[in-house]
Amino acid sequence: MTRPETAPVRPGEELPLDALREAMRGHVSGDVDDLSVEQFPGGFSNLTYLVRAGDPARGGQEYVLRRAPLGPVPKGAHDMTREAHLLERIHPVLPVAPRPALIVEDPAVIGSPFYLMERRHGTVVRTRLPAEYRDLPDAARRMSGALADTLADLHAVDIDAAGLREIGKPEGFNARQVAGWAGRWRRAREALRDTGDLPSQADLRDELVIAWLEAHTPPESAHTLVHNDFKLDNLMLDPADPGRVTALLDWEMTTVGDPLVDLGLTLTYWTMPEMPGGAPNEVGAASPGFLGRDELVARYAARAARHVTSDPQAHLAALERALPWYEVLGHFKLAVIVIQIFARYRAGQTSDPRFAPLAGQAEWLIREAWRRIAAQATGA
């Protein structure tokens, strides 16, 4: 049986329907007087809802609403109006990006700025191969290829022709990445200073990871769109064809910078085993039928090379030489994202039980980053 995409709204995360109805009235299609809301239960960050304006079988419309999580959030994070305005510009040049339908910047309406976008339909693959794909030949390999190809296509967008260069500051991007994520890590760790949830800094070696990233920061390999959280479960796939992407989601952190930052984080997710307290991971490089880490890099390189060089093998070799730094950064970034969520959970700003094991996951990611650094030092 296929798992439903949506679920009843979690207690404490309800939307004020009267205020939402009035904000939508006259700005979107569908019967806003017949409004219903469900929640997309996946994800650990922003809150995402399915909003129905009337019965879709009788001309009603469905939208996806995105808003920031409850409670205080880090400055500049979870900026849903920025995400929506980005989608307005990216959708015409990269159709897998959904089209926004309504942007509301006034936090008084539902308690936070939010936007509505068109609803795309498809299958989201998280930690297991969904039932609809289990009998399809090469389903795992086909979705692996779709992941690599979509990332290469994202990086191939002409940021100057699309007027997108101005959304970021590509020069010095990598150094700012390290400084920014290091600052977030330290602030989250300070918030958890007396909880005992993380080992000592000497034991965890988080400051050594930061120092290594700072000392080895490379110049940007290129200037492209950077999604900044590109992973398989941010794709929606055609239920009948796991090789066809129907949507790329979660554009909150999108900017212009070094495309290998995206590839490094994608590989972090792709090569990650089951983490402490997490669900068993049956999707990715270690699972039968999926492209391995090196195969995924080769697939990405082959498609990306069409836009940057006439020598795909030379492009692949250059990628492999550069990638270790970006993969360590990917592990560190994900550790920061995880520990920030856990710190909000510890502070009582959210009660979602899925967040309870995240401190252990952040610890695993930092230790894995350090293991990779040590392996490079020894040539292992």
Side-chain angles (χ1 to χ4, degrees):
M1 179 181 294
T2 302
R3 184 179 178 180
E5 289 184 79
T6 59
V9 177
R10 288 187 289 263
E13 296 179 355
E14 297 87 355
L15 296 174
L17 292 189
D18 288 341
L20 177 59
R21 182 179 294 111
E22 293 311 309
M24 294 172 63
R25 193 181 302 279
H27 297 287
V28 299
S29 301
D31 182 4
V32 298
D33 289 316
D34 180 18
L35 207 61
S36 64
V37 176
E38 296 175 4
Q39 193 167 30
F40 292 95
F44 285 75
S45 184
N46 301 299
L47 301 179
T48 307
Y49 303 84
L50 172 62
V51 177
R52 290 190 178 95
D55 184 349
R58 300 179 180 177
Q61 295 291 320
E62 292 183 327
Y63 302 95
V64 174
L65 185 150
R66 300 251 300 157
R67 59 148 292 168
L70 302 176
V73 297
K75 183 179 179 181
H78 308 288
D79 189 340
M80 293 295 92
T81 56
R82 178 183 183 272
E83 176 175 289
H85 287 304
L86 282 175
L87 286 174
E88 287 181 316
R89 301 164 72 176
I90 294 172
H91 169 76
V93 295
L94 193 70
V96 292
R99 179 183 59 81
L102 174 66
I103 304 171
V104 178
E105 302 193 21
D106 183 358
V109 177
I110 68 167
S112 160
F114 70 96
Y115 75 97
L116 298 175
M117 66 180 174
E118 62 174 330
R119 187 189 184 187
R120 297 284 182 92
H121 291 274
T123 297
V124 176
V125 180
R126 300 194 188 278
T127 58
R128 300 182 63 189
L129 198 65
E132 58 263 42
Y133 293 152
R134 288 177 194 155
D135 295 328
L136 293 179
D138 296 328
R141 192 170 191 86
R142 287 154 70 187
M143 71 176 67
S144 303
L147 178 74
D149 291 351
T150 303
L151 183 59
D153 291 347
L154 167 74
H155 293 158
V157 169
D158 187 329
I159 56 175
D160 293 309
L164 289 165
R165 182 177 288 272
E166 66 192 53
I167 71 171
K169 297 177 180 178
E171 293 80 9
F173 176 78
N174 289 343
R176 290 196 307 277
Q177 284 278 295
V178 176
W181 290 105
R184 295 181 191 101
W185 173 266
R186 288 164 177 153
R187 288 190 292 274
R189 177 150 200 160
E190 178 62 22
L192 295 168
R193 183 168 55 89
D194 299 323
T195 66
D197 291 297
L198 287 175
S200 70
Q201 290 179 331
D203 289 339
L204 190 56
R205 299 181 177 178
D206 50 343
E207 289 295 330
L208 292 178
V209 171
I210 293 170
W212 184 88
L213 287 168
E214 291 172 336
H216 295 83
T217 303
E220 290 70 43
S221 65
H223 296 163
T224 72
L225 272 182
V226 174
H227 182 275
N228 254 332
D229 196 23
F230 191 91
K231 54 181 177 172
L232 185 62
D233 64 0
N234 273 333
L235 297 182
M236 297 188 80
L237 306 174
D238 184 334
D241 180 2
R244 189 177 82 83
V245 176
T246 60
L248 171 57
L249 307 173
D250 201 0
W251 294 84
E252 170 197 350
M253 296 189 290
T254 300
T255 186
V256 168
D258 188 334
L260 297 191
V261 167
D262 263 348
L263 184 56
L265 183 60
T266 300
L267 292 173
T268 295
Y269 285 114
W270 194 245
T271 58
M272 202 161 47
E274 178 182 354
M275 290 197 297
N281 188 10
E282 301 173 7
V283 171
S287 298
F290 290 89
L291 293 181
R293 182 263 181 205
D294 294 349
E295 292 174 304
L296 192 78
V297 172
R299 175 75 176 240
Y300 169 87
R303 194 168 182 98
R306 300 182 307 172
H307 307 285
V308 297
T309 181
S310 58
D311 188 345
Q313 287 304 311
H315 184 57
L316 175 59
L319 277 183
E320 289 289 15
R321 287 192 298 271
L323 273 172
W325 185 87
Y326 295 92
E327 291 180 85
V328 171
L329 178 65
H331 281 75
F332 181 64
K333 283 176 61 174
L334 186 53
V336 176
I337 292 169
V338 166
I339 205 63
Q340 285 181 318
I341 297 170
F342 180 77
R344 288 198 300 109
Y345 173 79
R346 264 300 205 174
Q349 295 163 7
T350 176
S351 58
D352 192 326
R354 296 177 302 155
F355 299 164
L358 293 187
Q361 295 180 15
E363 179 183 345
W364 183 90
L365 286 158
I366 291 291
R367 292 192 187 281
E368 178 63 13
W370 179 250
R371 186 194 69 77
R372 288 166 178 260
I373 292 169
Q376 288 185 67
T378 61

